Structures are given as structure tokens and as C-alpha cells.
Amino acid sequence: MLKFFWQIFELTGLSIFQLLFSWNFWVVVILISFLYRREQEFEQAVIGHNRVSLLYKVVESSIAGLVGGYIVSLITLFFGIVVDVDSFMYLWYIALILALINPRYLCFSYAAGIISVISLIFKKPIVDISGILVIVAILHFVESLLIFLDGFRGAIPVVIERRKKEGIFSTSGAYLMQRFWAIPMVIIAYNYQTTAQVVKIELFEPSWWPLFKPQNLLPNAMLLMTPIVAALGYGDLAVEDEPAVISKKSAGILSIFSVVLFAMSALSYKVYAFKWVAALFAPMAHEGIILYQQKRQKEGDSIFEAEENKIKVLYVEENSVAAKMGIKPGDVILSINGIQVQKEEDIERIFSDAQIYLWVKAMDKRGKMKELYYQDYENGIRNLGIIVITKNVSANYQLESDGYFMFIKSIARRVKNFLFNRS
């Protein structure tokens, strides 16, 4: 058994290393670079500068994606999940088409659900439904790990306008979280048709291996380690709490989704009805998670909600005076050097002249009072290094507003326009 484990680690590392030099991996990295470039431009407009370079952001996410791809590959090899590689390619084709409708639909859950239902109804194309759904479940599980560890990095402070349950509009601060990862990985493939470099699997095989394989797989079928590239992305707004807290909550929900999908997909190998159950669950449950998050963003409580005659901290610049003093996002600043502050102009007036000593009274997000001190006799202090949220601040980010069943509505609208509005 130890020999089996060692071979898995060795073969996975070798295959992923080779994949790093393939053109398709770098195509995905370049696409992700364009997405991050747009984010950098927005950050420049909001904060006034980029906290890290574009190259740093792409390299950081590529390293995280490499680790994620290694985990996906280890799970796939350990359990022996055999997949028709042509079926997996259908996921890419459909996901790219869906992305033309809305970039957030670039998700394998939607693509896997669509191709699986089409195959179940029309019997064409012939798709390894159980195999692709198991792989999608594993990808989402690894995505939840990446969100937990990496999802909150580089979050951008924004101002949004929300319509709450009572129909009253309110201004609130939030953090825009967007992360993208290229996932170089290997799957165990049969029905193999490609020109990419592959590795024939010759393992010391336990009696239970491979655990997940199609019923039509012949006993003497050649299994090959097939290098492929997937892409994962995470987008959310941290409204209720700080980004690190919200991303961990999102990761927890997504991990539960992935485990349930994995269980349904595994059962579908033995029970045909679960092919339908898993195929419908994947897109509907994933969309349900998105809708729940958007409802929470629009109607939930927020530690960054603007209040009358109060200055609430939305963002604290790293290594700034505020950061050194201990001012945190969500704090309400009550006074500076004994002068009461109720609007942003009050702070600007205090720092119109450089201060050598600061005494700040504030209230944290739990309602606890605190007094903070800082001094700089040599250089003086000209700003705190914060972004605040007040009642008179204008929104600079628009919430998603399509409402419920937006996935189905978007596709229906596009089809209707194509069929009836052509000139």
C-alpha cells in the first residue's frame, strides 16, 4: 500500500510539471491575467493605487492553483476515478458558451448539469455523466479550500446602495472579493483521443482500485493519466463582516455542496435514478448558493452600514497610522484629539495641519469603546490612511439586480432574442 501511495505522489507531480509547459495551461493563465487587469484598474480608481503588482497577483494565484490542482489529482488517482476525457471536454465547451451570456456562468456545475440532462433525455451525445459529476464535485471541494485560504486576499473596499426588506434604500460599505485560479491537473482517462503527452498507468494496484469506473469499461482497457487544465473563480461581496470572515463562511457552504454532489454522483454509478438527481442538483444547488449570497448582500445586516452623523471605518491601509494605532474596519470614530467628528470634512479639517500626537476615541463593531494613541514628533501626521463610510457617500459599485432564477432567465432571454428579434 505504501508503494501505491508513493507512486500516486510521484506520477501526479511528474504529470503536472509537464503540464506547466503546455500551451493550454498558459492560455488559461493569460485569460486570468486579463481578469486581474480589470480588477487592478478598478482598485486604482477606488483606492488611488494598486497594493500589489499585476504580476504578483497572477503568480500568487497560479501557485495556489497549482496546489489545488495537485490535490484534485491526488484525490482522483487515490480513489481511481476513471473518466471519458471527451466528456470532460464538453464541460469546457458549454462553460465557455455560458460565459458569453454572463461571465459568472463560467462554472462546471452549470455545464455538467446541462450536458448531463441533454444526454439523459436525447441519449446523445454519449457522456460519462457519473464521471464528470464526480470530478466537478472534487473541483468544487478544492475550490472551497482555496476560498478558505485565499479568497479574501486583495479584497477591494466599495460603496453600495441596498434596498432592504422595508423598501428603504441605504448606503453601505462592502468588500469586493474576486479570485481566479488556473488548475493544472490529471485525470484517469479511457476512450482517449488527443495529441497531448500522456503517461500509461502502471501501478501497484490495491484490490479496490479503480473505485469509480463506467460500467462499459472493459477489463483490459488501457488507462492513461491525462493532463488537463481547469479554471476556478470566486466572486463575492463582504457586506455583513470583514472579507476573511465572509470568505470562510462561503467556503463552508461550498464544501457541503461538493460533498453532497460527490455522494450523489458516486451513487449514480450503481443507481441510474441518481444520474438525474446529481445532474439536476449540480446547477440548481449551485445557483441556490449564489442567490442566497445575493439576498444576504442586499438585505442582511452590515457592520459597514452608513449611519447618520457617524464616521465608520471601511478600509485601513496596511502600515498606515490607523493600522499602527489599532483602528479596525467597522470601527466608528467618535473624536480625534478631543474634537468630535461626524463627517469626513471634520477629519480633513483636523489634518489640514500636521499633527504630532493623536488621541482617538472609537467604538468597535461590537459596541465596545476604546481609546487609541499615536505620536510622530519627527515627521508629523497628515492622515490616518483610512476610507470611511458616511451617509453622504455615493455608491461606486452596482449590486447584481437580475433577481431569482437569473440563470434560466438570462438563457431564455438570449434564445428569445435570437429567434424573434433577428432582422
Side-chain angles (χ1 to χ4, degrees):
M1 184 61 72
L2 288 177
K3 182 179 180 181
F4 175 65
F5 289 145
W6 173 249
Q7 285 181 313
I8 287 177
F9 278 99
E10 188 177 33
L11 286 173
T12 299
L14 174 63
S15 298
I16 290 180
F17 179 76
Q18 293 173 341
L19 190 58
L20 295 181
F21 298 95
S22 66
W23 66 268
N24 47 352
F25 170 74
W26 287 103
V27 166
V28 175
V29 171
I30 291 171
L31 289 174
I32 288 175
S33 299
F34 280 113
L35 294 172
Y36 276 132
R37 178 61 184 169
R38 291 175 58 187
E39 184 188 60
Q40 291 280 90
E41 292 173 354
F42 182 68
E43 181 184 54
Q44 176 75 32
V46 172
I47 299 179
H49 65 277
N50 292 129
R51 290 165 290 181
V52 298
S53 67
L54 176 62
L55 178 62
Y56 179 90
K57 188 164 283 192
V58 172
V59 171
E60 181 186 49
S61 70
S62 297
I63 293 173
L66 181 64
V67 174
Y70 199 87
I71 295 173
V72 173
S73 304
L74 288 177
I75 295 173
T76 302
L77 279 178
F78 177 78
F79 284 109
I81 302 171
V82 182
V83 184
D84 175 12
V85 71
D86 293 335
S87 298
F88 190 87
M89 294 308 299
Y90 280 121
L91 297 183
W92 262 118
Y93 302 146
I94 295 177
L96 290 173
I97 292 172
L98 293 176
L100 297 177
I101 300 172
N102 190 316
R104 84 165 183 83
Y105 298 147
L106 182 61
C107 173
F108 286 161
S109 285
Y110 301 121
I114 290 173
I115 191 61
S116 297
V117 170
I118 291 174
S119 180
L120 286 167
I121 294 174
F122 300 105
K123 308 302 179 185
K124 287 185 180 180
I126 299 174
V127 175
D128 178 17
I129 295 172
S130 301
I132 60 176
L133 286 170
V134 164
I135 294 295
V136 168
I138 295 172
L139 280 169
H140 277 304
F141 178 75
V142 170
E143 181 184 358
S144 71
L145 293 178
L146 291 173
I147 291 172
F148 185 87
L149 298 172
D150 191 47
F152 56 90
R153 298 184 188 279
I156 302 174
V158 296
V159 180
I160 60 176
E161 190 175 68
R162 304 192 298 162
R163 183 174 183 176
K164 308 199 75 174
K165 290 181 181 179
E166 301 81 6
I168 301 173
F169 285 91
S170 66
T171 302
S172 177
Y175 278 83
L176 176 63
M177 298 183 288
Q178 288 186 315
R179 298 294 286 172
F180 308 98
W181 304 284
I183 308 293
M185 53 183 277
V186 292
I187 59 174
I188 306 171
Y190 74 101
N191 190 25
Y192 191 83
Q193 296 179 5
T194 186
T195 57
Q197 186 175 4
V198 299
V199 179
K200 182 179 178 181
I201 297 180
E202 296 179 352
L203 292 173
F204 172 77
E205 300 173 8
S207 57
W208 49 265
W209 195 94
L211 189 60
F212 300 105
K213 58 184 178 181
Q215 293 179 345
N216 62 349
L217 184 67
L218 299 175
N220 59 347
M222 180 181 293
L223 302 181
L224 300 172
M225 290 184 63
T226 309
I228 57 175
V229 182
L232 296 176
Y234 169 61
D236 200 359
L237 270 179
V239 179
E240 296 174 289
D241 212 322
E242 295 179 59
V245 176
I246 298 301
S247 64
K248 286 173 172 54
K249 288 181 179 179
S250 298
I253 295 172
L254 187 61
S255 65
I256 294 171
F257 163 79
S258 64
V259 170
V260 174
L261 179 59
F262 184 90
M264 290 179 174
S265 304
L267 286 170
S268 71
Y269 281 97
K270 300 295 184 182
V271 182
Y272 181 82
F274 272 96
K275 292 184 186 293
W276 279 97
V277 174
L280 293 172
F281 175 82
M284 293 177 67
H286 193 280
E287 185 68 4
I289 292 172
I290 300 297
L291 293 175
Y292 166 75
Q293 290 174 332
Q294 291 180 347
K295 182 178 177 64
R296 186 189 68 204
Q297 293 164 6
K298 294 176 183 178
E299 300 177 1
D301 296 329
S302 172
I303 65 169
F304 304 116
E305 193 83 25
E307 298 181 49
E308 200 70 47
N309 298 324
K310 286 187 178 180
I311 291 182
K312 188 170 288 187
V313 178
L314 172 60
Y315 169 75
V316 179
E317 183 74 31
E318 187 177 358
N319 295 321
S320 65
V321 171
K324 294 173 182 177
M325 292 182 73
I327 295 175
K328 305 289 185 183
D331 287 354
V332 174
I333 297 179
L334 303 175
S335 67
I336 299 175
N337 289 352
I339 302 172
Q340 186 180 16
V341 291
Q342 295 183 333
K343 51 185 181 293
E344 197 169 0
E345 289 78 5
D346 295 337
I347 297 180
E348 293 174 356
R349 193 176 302 112
I350 291 172
F351 287 103
S352 60
D353 295 321
Q355 305 292 312
I356 59 174
Y357 178 82
L358 285 183
W359 166 42
V360 175
K361 293 185 70 174
M363 180 175 62
D364 69 16
K365 60 185 180 181
R366 296 178 180 83
K368 183 180 179 180
M369 301 296 296
K370 57 183 182 181
E371 296 187 6
L372 306 168
Y373 306 90
Y374 187 80
Q375 61 187 33
D376 187 343
Y377 292 103
E378 183 177 350
N379 301 309
I381 307 163
R382 294 196 172 273
N383 62 72
L384 286 170
I386 59 176
I387 295 176
V388 300
I389 184 80
T390 62
K391 275 289 187 181
N392 61 347
V393 161
S394 300
N396 59 10
Y397 184 80
Q398 184 69 40
L399 281 173
E400 187 79 49
S401 59
D402 287 342
Y404 295 103
F405 304 108
M406 63 187 70
F407 174 64
I408 298 173
K409 287 165 61 178
S410 294
I411 294 179
R413 185 168 58 248
R414 299 283 176 146
V415 172
K416 179 182 177 181
N417 291 338
F418 177 77
L419 293 176
F420 301 109
N421 295 341
R422 288 182 295 175
S423 57

